[in-house]
């Protein structure tokens, strides 16, 4: 409120004025006090009006943009939102030409682009402020506020709609020239799209860096890459991901250079959180492509799973899918890891599989087979994973891994005392040298004396899981035997420790016994028949018919050896005698007695005959018996497809294909179709003998039923080796330095590593990244594919 000053209070009462003595000095003081009071009153009024304006100030007052360089994103925001004036705001009046005048709010709707600055109590042209290239030359409404409200309408008409000679000579007002050149929305949209494209290129560079780290199995994170990037010359390891981004910048990635130079600290998109999100998206894209390939080829598949413990003592279940794609190629693909540390029972694992597969988009009614190792929780007749799932989905036949069955055949055959002792002794000798650099150097020196050419200079350890792989270890051991004996003699002369001499002498006595030599060579020769079979069964594209043919061939070969054991053993025995002569070992056999319970005590005429009856014949008999008993399910599985293999086709009836009837496109014509299929190959000299070749030569139009049967047989898994390969990748990716990695990140990284040849479009990754959550930078429209 204005301060009221009365005449009486200024001059005083008449009575006092009469009593006082009036002097010039007194009058001057009175006038001075009055003037000071008026000034204070005016300042109070101005301060009150200023406070009112401050309370009504909006965050987007036009003066707040002066002196700033605005990018297109900011201009777009300002232009679309405009400058708002509070409804309660009262425009201050100014005395112009003896009248109080003020800004009128209706002018804002009348003149597009006109804005009012509460801070300066003046008007501006928003278009000129944002888009005028030389605002200092335009004067009022552009770089200075317009306050002459008396001439407001005249000036506004001239500026916004001006058609005067002066305006036309200058090319129109700033507002007119800009609107004539291009539409404001088009300009802003163009700038916004340009910014989106730049941000897209930045994220594509980041995605490409993640891809190369995942495909090459580079550890992305460093010591503390979640902190500020290289602060104050910090020399800590920043990680491969950050280093590769810097390398891209040094190589000339201009988009990254500009982004990291201008981006806010919370929008650089190089943190571990961004890494995890991008890794997860890439893994999902690869997984989606695999599921799409399954759906495009009819949707039928089989599942295989195997569990193993990783470096962090977490039980991981590897899940793989097998299917026949549109090109007729059998594929086995890893899709995910499931953590099952809390419970590895058949119930828990089967529930996890039945939950995971539908989440991927697979129809469990189209699952045609399962394959697991021989563990009880997997293939138990009642509570195993396979039987549990098959009770719910009867078409999902469950089988043991053929490679595991082959391995168990050798394990069972190796229970012969002589063979078991030989393997234990050989394993001790290998560790005796491989675990000591000093002894290993002695062995290498001796090997150079025995051969001039450069070959393997180290003993191979006996594989604990794949017993067939021990064949190579036995061959190397047999080849190194003379050098091993000489090296042990040298060790005893150099190392004077009683313990070392005792251990060395004990091992030397064991490997120089004639029984050890016989057991080593005979076992090596018998397992040699299984080596190539094991290799072929581990192939990704092997089908059940080919696997059965290979198994049958090996069984025939072993049976032939057993039938002609005298001939084969004589050849092996001659090689043993030669090695014994080189090592100065005398051929001998244990004495026979009337009663023996701890070792073989068979009657024999010679040393050769003794070892033939105690080692060679029992070993072959065990292998044949185990193979006949353990590969029965393979025969059942293969027999389903034998009827449609051209090289094995015979008389068949519809009852032979009862399993396939529900999946056939035209089961009523199956008999006629089989007749035509048989005639097609009747005169061929070399008809297909496996499912893959038959499928590639089968027309799905002429033989739709046969084609479908072949596809289903192609999905039958022979082994679970793809799961074991995934576990091997697990141990390469999750090392002891990366042991805290989550299962989700681990699965996606292994997806990239295992499917490194699968194409992943970085732009697709960025689009999915933009769809997940709002981002701090402008990205392409999330509703546009």
């Amino acid at each position: 409120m204005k301060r009221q000053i009365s005449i009486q209070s200024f001059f005083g009462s008449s009575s006092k004025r009469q009593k006082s003595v009036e002097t010039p000095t007194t009058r001057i003081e009175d006038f001075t006090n009055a003037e000071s009071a008026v000034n204070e009153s005016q300042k109070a009024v101005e301060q009150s009006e200023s406070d009112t304006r401050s309370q009504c100030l909006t965050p987007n007052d036009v003066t707040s943009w002066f002196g700033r360089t605005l990018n297109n994103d900011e201009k777009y925001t300002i232009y679309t939102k405009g400058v708002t004036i509070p409804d309660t705001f009262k425009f201050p009046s100014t005395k112009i030409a003896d009248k109080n005048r003020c800004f009128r709010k209706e002018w804002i709707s009348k003149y597009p682009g006109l804005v009012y600055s509460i801070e300066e109590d003046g008007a501006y042209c928003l278009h000129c402020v944002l888009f005028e290239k030389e605002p200092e030359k335009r004067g009022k409404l552009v770089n200075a506020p317009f306050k002459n409200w008396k001439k407001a309408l005249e000036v506004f008409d001239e500026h916004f709609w001006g058609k005067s000679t002066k305006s036309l000579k200058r090319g129109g007002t700033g507002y007119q020239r800009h609107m004539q050149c291009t539409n404001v929305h088009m300009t802003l949209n163009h700038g916004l799209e340009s910014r989106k494209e730049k941000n897209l290129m930045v994220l594509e560079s980041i995605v490409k860096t993640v891809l190369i780290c995942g495909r090459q199995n580079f550890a992305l994170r460093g010591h503390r890459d979640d902190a500020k990037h290289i602060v104050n010359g910090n020399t800590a390891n920043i990680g491969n991901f950050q280093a590769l981004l810097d390398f891209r910048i040094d190589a000339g990635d201009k988009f990254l250079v500009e982004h990291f130079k201008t981006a806010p600290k919370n929008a650089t998109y190089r943190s571990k959180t961004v890494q995890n999100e991008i890794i997860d998206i890439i893994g999902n894209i690869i997984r989606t492509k695999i599921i799409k390939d399954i759906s495009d080829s009819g949707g039928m598949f089989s599942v295989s799973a195997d569990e193993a413990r990783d470096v962090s003592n977490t039980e991981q279940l590897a899940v793989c899918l097998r299917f026949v794609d549109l090109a007729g190629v059998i594929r086995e693909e890893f899709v995910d890891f499931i953590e099952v540390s809390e419970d590895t029972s058949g119930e828990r694992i089967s529930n996890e599989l039945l939950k995971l597969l539908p989440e991927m988009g697979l129809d469990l009614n189209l699952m045609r087979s399962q394959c697991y190792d021989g563990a009880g929780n997997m293939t138990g007749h009642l509570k195993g994973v396979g039987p549990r799932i098959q009770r719910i989905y009867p078409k999902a036949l469950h089988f043991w891994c053929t490679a595991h069955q082959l391995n168990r055949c050798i394990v069972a055959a190796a229970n012969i005392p002589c063979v078991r002792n030989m393997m234990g002794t050989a394993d001790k000798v290998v560790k005796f040298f491989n675990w000591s650099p000093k002894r290993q150097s002695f062995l290498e020196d001796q090997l150079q004396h025995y051969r001039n050419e450069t070959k393997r200079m180290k003993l191979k350890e006996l594989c604990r899981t794949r017993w067939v792989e021990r064949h190579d270890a036995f061959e190397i051991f047999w080849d190194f035997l003379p050098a091993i004996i000489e090296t042990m003699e040298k060790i005893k002369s150099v190392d004077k420790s009683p313990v070392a001499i005792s251990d060395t002498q004990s091992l030397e006595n064991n490997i120089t016994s004639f029984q050890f030599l016989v057991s080593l060579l005979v076992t090596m020769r018998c397992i040699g028949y299984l080596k190539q079979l094991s290799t072929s069964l581990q192939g990704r594209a092997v089908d059940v018919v080919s696997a059965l043919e290979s198994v049958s061939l090996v069984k025939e070969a072993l049976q032939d050896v057993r039938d002609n054991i005298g001939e084969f053993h004589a050849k092996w025995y001659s090689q043993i005698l030669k090695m014994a002569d080189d090592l100065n070992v005398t051929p001998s056999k244990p004495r026979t007695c009337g009663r023996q319970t701890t070792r073989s005590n068979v009657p024999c005429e010679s040393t050769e005959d003794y070892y033939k009856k105690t080692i060679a014949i029992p070993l072959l008999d065990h292998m044949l018996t185990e193979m006949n008993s353990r590969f029965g399910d393979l025969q059942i599985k293969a027999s389903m497809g034998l009827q449609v293999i051209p090289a094995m086709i015979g008389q068949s009836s519809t009852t032979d294909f009862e399993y396939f009837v529900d999946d056939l496109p035209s089961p009523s014509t199956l008999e006629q179709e089989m007749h035509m299929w048989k005639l097609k190959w009747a005169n061929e000299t070399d008809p297909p003998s496996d499912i893959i070749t038959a499928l590639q030569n089968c027309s799905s139009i002429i033989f739709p039923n046969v084609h479908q049967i072949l596809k289903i047989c192609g999905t039958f898994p022979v082994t679970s080796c793809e799961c074991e390969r995934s576990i091997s990748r697990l141990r390469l990716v999750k090392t002891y330095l990366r042991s805290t990695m989550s299962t989700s990140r681990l699965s996606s990284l292994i997806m990239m590593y295992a499917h490194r040849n699968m194409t992943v479009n970085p732009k697709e990754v960025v689009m999915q990244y933009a769809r997940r959550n709002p981002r701090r930078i402008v990205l392409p429209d999330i509703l546009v594919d």
Side-chain angles (χ1 to χ4, degrees):
M1 294 177 63
K2 292 185 178 181
R3 185 178 175 184
Q4 301 295 330
I5 306 175
S6 65
I7 298 298
Q8 273 188 338
S9 64
F10 177 74
F11 290 103
S13 63
S14 57
S15 59
K16 291 181 180 180
R17 186 172 61 250
Q18 293 174 356
K19 294 180 181 180
S20 63
V21 179
E22 189 174 292
T23 63
T25 304
T26 304
R27 287 198 299 269
I28 292 174
E29 291 177 353
D30 291 339
F31 277 111
T32 302
N33 293 334
E35 183 179 5
S36 175
V38 171
N39 290 337
E40 290 179 0
S41 176
Q42 291 178 348
K43 288 181 180 179
V45 172
E46 292 176 356
Q47 182 65 35
S48 176
E49 294 177 351
S50 176
D51 293 341
T52 303
R53 285 198 304 271
S54 298
Q55 293 174 358
C56 296
L57 280 177
T58 57
N60 58 344
D61 191 273
V62 68
T63 57
S64 63
W65 307 317
F66 290 164
R68 291 175 52 193
T69 301
L70 302 176
N71 58 35
N72 289 327
D73 297 344
E74 294 171 323
K75 289 181 180 179
Y76 181 80
T77 303
I78 294 169
Y79 178 77
T80 53
K81 291 185 177 180
V83 179
T84 57
I85 303 296
D87 295 335
T88 58
F89 179 75
K90 183 178 180 181
F91 294 98
S93 60
T94 305
K95 193 170 185 179
I96 302 175
D98 298 331
K99 289 186 178 181
N100 291 327
R101 304 175 188 272
C102 67
F103 184 87
R104 302 296 180 187
K105 196 169 185 178
E106 58 266 21
W107 293 344
I108 295 176
S109 58
K110 181 177 180 181
Y111 300 101
L114 180 66
V115 294
Y116 176 78
S117 171
I118 298 176
E119 177 70 22
E120 297 191 356
D121 185 24
Y124 285 92
C125 173
L126 180 62
H127 303 86
C128 294
V129 171
L130 294 177
F131 304 111
E132 181 61 50
K133 295 182 179 179
E134 297 178 348
E136 66 278 356
K137 297 182 180 180
R138 305 301 296 174
K140 303 294 184 179
L141 290 171
V142 182
N143 68 335
F146 177 80
K147 298 184 177 182
N148 190 355
W149 309 128
K150 180 180 179 180
K151 298 184 178 181
L153 297 179
E154 178 184 350
V155 173
F156 293 164
D157 287 340
E158 172 66 18
H159 183 82
F160 291 98
W161 315 117
K163 297 181 180 179
S164 65
T165 304
K166 181 178 180 181
S167 296
L168 294 175
K169 285 182 179 179
R170 295 174 59 186
T173 65
Y175 169 74
Q176 288 176 321
R177 291 202 308 273
H178 180 77
M179 295 302 291
Q180 289 170 0
C181 293
T182 180
N183 184 273
V184 176
H185 284 285
M186 292 177 60
T187 302
L188 291 173
N189 287 337
H190 176 73
L192 186 63
E193 292 300 323
S194 175
R195 189 60 188 168
K196 287 180 180 178
E197 290 298 323
K198 290 182 179 178
N199 292 337
L200 181 64
M201 297 302 296
V202 168
L203 286 180
E204 281 188 17
S205 297
I206 294 174
V207 169
K208 290 177 181 177
T209 306
V210 174
L211 271 172
I212 194 171
C213 288
R215 286 171 172 170
Q216 301 302 320
N217 192 24
F218 294 159
L220 278 80
R221 299 181 60 187
H223 178 60
R224 291 292 294 176
D225 66 345
D226 58 339
K228 197 175 294 183
H229 185 57
I230 311 182
V231 182
N232 299 326
N234 184 14
T235 58
N237 180 17
I238 59 175
N240 293 325
F241 175 71
Q242 307 287 0
L244 286 173
L245 287 179
D246 293 342
F247 180 76
R248 290 186 70 93
I249 292 174
D250 294 339
D253 193 328
K254 59 182 181 180
F255 297 105
L256 279 181
V257 172
E258 180 184 356
H259 173 70
F260 291 138
K261 187 181 296 184
T262 60
K265 294 180 180 179
N266 61 349
T268 57
Y269 290 88
R270 62 193 304 171
S271 67
K272 63 179 184 299
T273 306
V274 174
Q275 291 178 29
N276 289 337
E277 200 164 355
I278 292 176
I279 290 170
D280 184 58
I281 291 172
I282 295 173
N284 288 336
I285 288 175
I286 296 174
R287 191 177 294 111
T288 302
K289 288 187 175 183
I290 295 173
I291 303 303
K292 185 177 183 300
D293 290 342
I294 296 176
S295 301
D296 293 343
S297 62
M300 294 188 182
F301 67 96
S302 65
V303 62
S304 58
D306 196 6
E307 55 184 306
R309 187 174 53 196
D310 62 23
V311 68
S312 63
N313 204 28
T314 302
E315 198 75 20
Q316 302 282 4
L317 181 72
V319 182
C320 297
L321 301 177
R322 180 184 173 103
F323 62 97
V324 179
D325 61 14
L326 284 175
V329 178
I330 296 176
R331 291 169 54 185
E332 290 186 354
E333 305 287 359
F334 164 78
V335 290
D336 208 352
F337 271 111
I338 304 174
E339 184 177 339
V340 291
S341 299
E342 297 180 358
D343 184 8
T344 58
S345 65
E347 181 181 6
R348 166 69 188 281
I349 294 176
S350 59
N351 290 337
E352 290 290 344
L353 289 176
L354 294 176
K355 176 183 175 182
L356 174 68
L357 297 177
E359 288 177 353
M360 293 182 181
L362 294 171
D363 185 359
L364 295 179
N365 291 308
L366 297 177
M367 181 167 52
R368 290 295 171 263
S369 183
Q370 312 168 66
C371 186
Y372 311 106
D373 60 15
N377 63 337
M378 290 295 190
T379 54
H381 294 295
L382 295 177
K383 297 185 178 181
V385 176
R388 284 178 179 272
I389 294 179
Q390 191 174 1
R391 282 196 289 269
I392 303 174
Y393 301 97
K395 290 282 187 177
L397 306 178
H398 67 279
F399 300 98
W400 280 16
C401 170
T402 308
H404 280 84
Q405 294 179 26
L406 181 64
N407 192 60
R408 291 172 69 89
C409 291
I410 302 174
V411 173
N415 279 331
I416 301 171
C418 296
V419 176
R420 185 176 62 246
N421 295 339
M422 178 273 299
M423 289 184 176
T425 301
D427 188 50
K428 290 180 181 178
V429 172
V430 171
K431 293 177 180 178
F432 178 80
F433 287 102
N434 289 352
W435 291 8
S436 172
K438 183 177 180 180
R439 297 168 187 163
Q440 177 62 31
S441 63
F442 289 158
L443 178 61
E444 292 176 0
D445 293 340
Q446 291 297 325
L447 288 172
Q448 291 177 356
H449 293 297
Y450 280 91
R451 54 190 182 191
N452 297 325
E453 67 275 9
T454 303
K455 287 187 177 181
R456 186 182 182 94
M457 304 295 287
K458 189 175 181 180
L459 291 169
K460 184 176 181 179
E461 293 190 9
L462 275 65
C463 182
R464 295 190 302 170
T465 56
R466 293 288 184 189
W467 282 47
V468 177
E469 302 302 322
R470 297 189 174 193
H471 175 269
D472 294 339
F474 291 152
E475 280 192 338
I476 296 171
F477 196 95
W478 181 266
D479 189 33
F480 282 17
L481 258 178
I484 291 173
I485 302 300
E486 293 294 335
T487 305
M488 287 183 170
E489 293 291 338
K490 183 177 181 180
I491 291 174
K492 289 189 295 182
S493 63
V494 173
D495 196 341
K496 301 300 183 181
S497 170
V499 177
I501 294 175
S502 175
D503 293 342
T504 306
Q505 186 64 52
S506 176
L507 291 175
E508 184 180 359
N509 292 338
N510 289 334
I511 64 176
T512 53
S513 67
F514 192 73
Q515 180 174 287
F516 176 85
L517 299 178
V518 175
S519 301
L520 177 60
L521 187 79
V522 171
T523 304
M524 182 173 64
R525 293 291 181 256
C526 292
I527 295 180
Y529 285 96
L530 306 179
K531 186 176 184 300
Q532 297 306 321
L533 173 62
S534 176
T535 303
S536 65
L537 290 178
Q538 295 177 39
R540 289 186 174 91
V542 63
D543 58 80
V544 289
V545 175
S546 300
L548 180 62
E549 183 180 358
S550 301
V551 170
S552 300
L553 182 61
V554 171
K555 287 167 61 177
E556 290 178 8
L558 290 174
Q559 187 63 51
D560 184 65
V561 174
R562 177 62 181 88
D563 295 339
N564 301 282
I565 187 62
E567 178 183 349
F568 283 94
H569 189 267
K571 187 189 301 183
W572 300 340
Y573 194 75
S574 62
Q575 298 174 7
I576 297 170
L577 291 177
K578 184 178 182 303
M579 177 60 74
D581 185 58
D582 295 339
L583 300 178
N584 296 322
V585 175
T586 304
S588 62
K589 65 179 181 65
R591 68 182 182 86
T592 57
C593 60
R595 189 174 183 179
Q596 180 61 259
T597 59
T598 59
R599 59 178 173 81
S600 299
N601 192 40
V602 296
C604 57
E605 300 177 356
S606 63
T607 303
E608 178 183 355
D609 189 44
Y610 174 80
Y611 289 112
K612 180 176 67 176
K613 293 179 180 180
T614 57
I615 297 178
I617 293 177
L619 182 61
L620 287 169
D621 288 343
H622 276 75
M623 292 175 65
L624 286 169
T625 303
E626 292 294 329
M627 291 188 71
N628 288 328
S629 63
R630 293 185 181 276
F631 288 99
D633 60 342
L634 180 63
Q635 293 177 349
I636 297 173
K637 189 161 44 171
S639 63
M640 297 181 179
L642 288 176
Q643 298 294 334
V644 291
I645 301 299
M648 306 174 188
I649 195 169
Q651 296 295 329
S652 61
S653 63
T654 54
T655 57
D656 297 329
F657 304 102
E658 185 177 354
Y659 172 80
F660 305 99
V661 169
D662 295 337
D663 299 321
L664 299 181
S666 180
S668 60
T669 61
L670 177 59
E671 185 176 352
Q672 293 78 16
E673 194 173 312
M674 287 299 302
H675 184 208
M676 291 189 295
W677 179 251
K678 182 178 180 180
L679 292 176
K680 174 180 172 66
W681 302 103
N683 299 323
E684 293 289 337
T685 57
D686 187 20
S689 59
D690 57 81
I691 292 177
I692 300 176
T693 310
L695 186 60
Q696 293 173 351
N697 288 276
C698 179
S699 172
S700 60
I701 300 175
I702 301 176
F703 305 102
N705 293 317
V706 174
H707 189 271
Q708 186 73 349
I709 292 173
L710 289 171
K711 281 185 64 175
I712 296 174
C713 291
T715 62
F716 290 159
V718 177
T719 67
S720 59
C721 291
E722 187 62 29
C723 296
E724 296 186 3
R725 279 187 280 266
S726 302
I727 292 171
S728 298
R729 299 186 190 106
L730 164 69
R731 294 192 172 102
L732 291 174
V733 173
K734 192 172 183 179
T735 62
Y736 75 98
L737 292 176
R738 306 166 73 183
S739 59
T740 59
M741 187 186 308
S742 65
T743 303
S744 175
R745 180 183 173 104
L746 173 66
S747 296
S748 297
L749 285 175
I750 295 180
M751 288 293 289
M752 283 189 277
Y753 184 46
H755 305 97
R756 63 174 67 91
N757 296 325
M758 188 172 291
T759 303
V760 176
N761 187 357
K763 187 173 182 180
E764 182 183 358
V765 178
V766 176
M767 296 303 292
Q768 290 198 22
Y769 182 74
R771 290 189 183 100
R772 285 199 167 189
N773 293 300
R775 304 299 174 184
R776 288 190 173 93
I777 61 175
V778 183
L779 292 172
D781 190 355
I782 61 174
L783 299 179
V784 179
D785 290 332

